[in-house]
Amino acid sequence: MQVTLMKGKIHRARVTDADLRYEGSISIDRDLIEAAGFLVNERVDVYDIDNGKRFSTYAIEAPAGSGTIGLTCAAARLAMVGDKGIIVAYAGFAVAEATAFRPCVVLVDDNNRVISAG
């Protein structure tokens, strides 16, 4: 049997950009991608804290240290610059593996800089 668990999340990240014309998804500061254990092009779910909208897209890399959380293409219609959100990646595990797994939770400040990760 397989179960799906949260693999990693970035909690309360602030949307910094929205671009309807760019092909893509959600651009995430490389430092945050690494801290959360995400892979470039990995499917992520985004939960907007301010408006309650939830959607799935894929992660693309923004420059390290930029603090960028940028929504592009269709995702840019679902949140506004300044909105806070949660970005989550999930993974499938065998039950035995799942009981020992611990997700990476990244807390960020208002500039999307890592406060804590673990």
Side-chain angles (χ1 to χ4, degrees):
M1 178 187 304
Q2 290 271 314
V3 295
T4 303
L5 299 179
M6 179 181 72
K7 177 183 126 180
K9 79 172 177 175
I10 303 169
H11 192 73
R12 298 190 63 82
R14 184 180 55 80
V15 176
T16 59
D17 301 294
D19 185 354
L20 290 169
R21 290 168 189 75
Y22 184 85
E23 291 181 30
S25 51
I26 185 169
S27 54
I28 303 171
D29 179 314
R30 178 70 194 173
D31 292 338
L32 297 177
I33 287 175
E34 290 178 1
F38 295 169
L39 298 173
V40 172
N41 295 315
E42 182 171 12
R43 178 185 172 170
V44 293
D45 289 346
V46 180
Y47 311 126
D48 189 306
I49 294 168
D50 293 302
N51 68 23
K53 291 183 181 173
R54 302 164 77 97
F55 57 94
S56 296
T57 188
Y58 61 94
I60 57 176
E61 182 178 329
S66 65
T68 298
I69 300 293
L71 298 176
T72 55
C73 202
R77 292 201 182 275
L78 299 173
M80 295 176 54
V81 171
D83 281 2
K84 294 278 188 161
I86 302 166
I87 306 164
V88 182
Y90 297 91
F93 297 89
V95 173
E97 184 182 22
T99 60
F101 179 77
R102 297 293 170 254
C104 187
V105 176
V106 178
L107 304 178
V108 297
D109 65 14
D110 287 337
N111 296 308
N112 296 331
R113 305 284 186 251
V114 176
I115 296 172
S116 68

